[in-house]
Amino acid sequence: MALAIQPIDGAVYSFATLSGLCISSEVSDEKADQIFKYFIEYMHDGGEGQLLFQSGVEGVHWEQDGDKAKPLPNLADPSAVTTSVWITPWLSLTPLELTDKITEKADAVTNSLAITDAVAVQTPITPVSETLNKITSDLELEKADILAKVVMGEMTVADGVAAYEEVAKELNVQKVLDELNGR
């Protein structure tokens, strides 16, 4: 059973901005209209399209149970049920208008959403940095390696900080900071 846990006194939960879908300016106006109509609009139609993106395929991800869309065991983990496929049903932008496909929220979800509403803070959107896009994977790998060595006692904290500063210098993190701060 999953439980919603209040944050430690004085702390907050942070959550990221919802991801967005964009249509490339490289496609023709006709293709852009088709992408919008048959993909974006369909996933928010309040009907069968939205049900597909929220609950998945009937008989694979859910089954009809009275007026409810009852989740079936998750294909990747049969001990759990499928809770969403693409759009989380209780966080959708548009209400589902199909009254015979109700998705019930587990108590843990209801409690978690209440806690989020009460104490969560939205994480600000990070400005774009071309350099950061190029170095993120290398920087994260180096950081994880250094942190593991510090935790395992193979490196002191001071040596870890010095090693990370060296990696940051090699990868030109200062240029990232300049880009993010508009310099």
Side-chain angles (χ1 to χ4, degrees):
M1 167 187 264
L3 298 173
I5 300 172
Q6 291 280 348
I8 297 169
D9 285 341
V12 296
Y13 287 120
S14 63
F15 63 95
T17 303
L18 298 174
S19 59
L21 297 173
C22 302
I23 300 173
S24 171
S25 60
E26 301 293 317
V27 300
S28 67
D29 289 346
E30 180 183 359
K31 288 283 186 201
D33 289 345
Q34 291 171 348
I35 293 167
F36 186 82
K37 180 176 182 178
Y38 297 113
F39 183 67
I40 298 173
E41 187 177 294
Y42 184 61
M43 77 168 54
H44 298 286
D45 68 356
E48 295 296 330
Q50 186 165 332
L51 180 66
L52 175 65
F53 281 90
Q54 286 183 359
S55 299
V57 176
E58 184 174 10
V60 175
H61 302 107
W62 64 275
E63 65 185 4
Q64 190 71 44
D65 184 16
D67 62 350
K68 296 175 179 50
K70 178 182 168 191
L72 292 174
N74 186 299
L75 295 174
D77 179 7
S79 68
V81 295
T82 303
T83 54
S84 68
V85 178
W86 181 279
I87 300 171
T88 304
W90 40 87
L91 297 176
S92 64
L93 298 174
T94 50
L96 186 64
E97 296 170 0
L98 300 173
T99 57
D100 64 335
K101 307 284 192 267
I102 298 167
T103 304
E104 291 185 329
K105 286 185 237 172
D107 289 341
V109 171
T110 302
N111 295 340
S112 178
L113 291 172
I115 290 170
T116 299
D117 287 344
V119 297
V121 175
Q122 184 172 341
T123 305
I125 297 173
T126 305
V128 175
S129 164
E130 285 188 37
T131 306
L132 180 61
N133 290 341
K134 292 175 185 173
I135 71 167
T136 295
S137 60
D138 291 334
L139 188 62
E140 290 294 324
L141 285 172
E142 292 289 344
K143 179 178 75 174
D145 184 54
I146 292 167
L147 183 60
K149 287 177 180 174
V150 171
V151 169
M152 298 303 293
E154 298 171 16
M155 185 182 282
T156 66
V157 172
D159 289 343
V161 170
Y164 187 75
E165 287 174 346
E166 183 62 32
V167 167
K169 185 176 179 182
E170 289 173 11
L171 293 175
N172 204 359
V173 169
Q174 185 58 52
K175 183 175 179 187
V176 172
L177 296 172
D178 292 343
E179 289 172 358
L180 293 175
N181 289 303
R183 295 187 284 231

